[in-house]
Amino acid sequence: MREFKDWKEFINRILINSGQFEKPVIEFKGEVEIETYKLTDKNSLTEIRVGYFLQENKLIYLHIFNPTVPGYNKYVEDEYFYYYDFDDKNSYGDPALEFNKRNVNGVFSILKNGLKGKEIQFVKNDRILKSILYIHGVNPKFNFSFSYDFTNRGFWNKIFGQKIDKMNGVEKREIELNSIFNGI
């Protein structure tokens, strides 16, 4: 892999050169530059949103979105990189990734391998009521799950009311996340 001068050049070249993504749409929110990449396959709804703190050449986030997986979208909307995300010895640290070999390799691995896991949805009348998200990390001890309730039920009704998966007319749908993005 050739040398890149910063995160922006690296991600742009990797995604564009893969032939799977169009040039990004760029917007600014304060000191953050956001690039949104859409797939060249016009039938795909998947897009990748990348947030950069250009002043310090740091990568804040790389979010993969697709409207068919609202549970996964809910999960990633609050996910950000931390200084030690790809460090074997340390964890967390300050927000955002520095542009160095370890972090570049970690981000490249995400782009190369795509999403791992699945979303199980409980659907009634074409409306997703609940979603259970199973994320598979590189290391099996980092597998985890989240549950999202998309109904307007109140707190007590969610706890003591009828369980969504037991309601009449609710269908269960399973979506493998690699069908949303299987890598470059």
Side-chain angles (χ1 to χ4, degrees):
M1 186 184 311
R2 76 175 192 86
E3 292 297 316
F4 298 95
K5 67 178 180 177
D6 58 20
W7 280 116
K8 187 174 171 136
E9 180 187 7
F10 167 72
I11 290 174
N12 191 281
R13 287 297 102 219
I14 295 297
L15 293 178
I16 301 297
N17 289 350
S18 75
Q20 295 178 0
F21 291 89
E22 300 173 347
K23 289 189 175 194
V25 173
I26 298 170
E27 65 180 293
F28 293 89
K29 288 188 179 176
E31 296 180 20
V32 176
E33 180 175 335
I34 302 164
E35 292 183 328
T36 302
Y37 293 85
K38 294 187 185 250
L39 285 163
T40 55
D41 175 1
K42 298 301 179 197
N43 293 324
S44 176
L45 301 173
T46 299
E47 62 184 38
I48 295 180
R49 300 175 191 162
V50 185
Y52 307 99
F53 185 49
L54 294 178
Q55 193 172 30
E56 294 183 22
N57 189 21
K58 290 187 178 181
L59 180 64
I60 300 169
Y61 60 83
L62 187 145
H63 294 163
I64 300 167
F65 280 90
N66 187 300
T68 61
V69 286
Y72 183 77
N73 294 343
K74 189 80 171 153
Y75 164 73
V76 297
E77 75 184 18
D78 292 328
E79 282 295 305
Y80 298 91
F81 287 120
Y82 289 95
Y83 187 83
Y84 293 115
D85 273 353
F86 299 108
D87 189 308
D88 292 334
K89 297 176 184 160
N90 299 300
S91 61
Y92 295 103
D94 292 335
L97 290 175
E98 287 187 343
F99 186 71
N100 60 41
K101 186 174 181 158
R102 179 188 66 226
N103 292 337
V104 166
N105 289 338
V107 171
F108 182 71
S109 177
I110 292 169
L111 293 172
K112 179 181 173 208
N113 298 317
L115 300 177
K116 306 290 182 224
K118 65 184 171 184
E119 181 169 324
I120 297 175
Q121 301 171 343
F122 298 91
V123 183
K124 185 172 184 175
N125 300 327
D126 287 328
R127 182 173 167 242
I128 299 171
L129 304 177
K130 178 181 176 179
S131 179
I132 301 174
L133 179 65
Y134 296 93
I135 300 288
H136 302 297
V138 182
N139 183 330
K141 70 179 182 178
F142 294 115
N143 294 342
F144 49 91
S145 66
F146 293 95
S147 181
Y148 299 98
D149 187 324
F150 296 109
T151 66
N152 293 325
R153 301 181 308 157
F155 175 76
W156 295 111
N157 196 2
K158 288 179 184 177
I159 292 179
F160 297 113
Q162 185 178 20
K163 301 294 179 203
I164 290 174
D165 48 333
K166 305 287 185 208
M167 291 179 176
N168 287 334
V170 171
E171 298 174 38
K172 186 175 171 182
R173 184 185 313 161
E174 187 171 311
I175 299 174
E176 292 292 331
L177 295 177
N178 68 2
S179 70
I180 302 306
F181 180 64
N182 65 357
I184 54 172

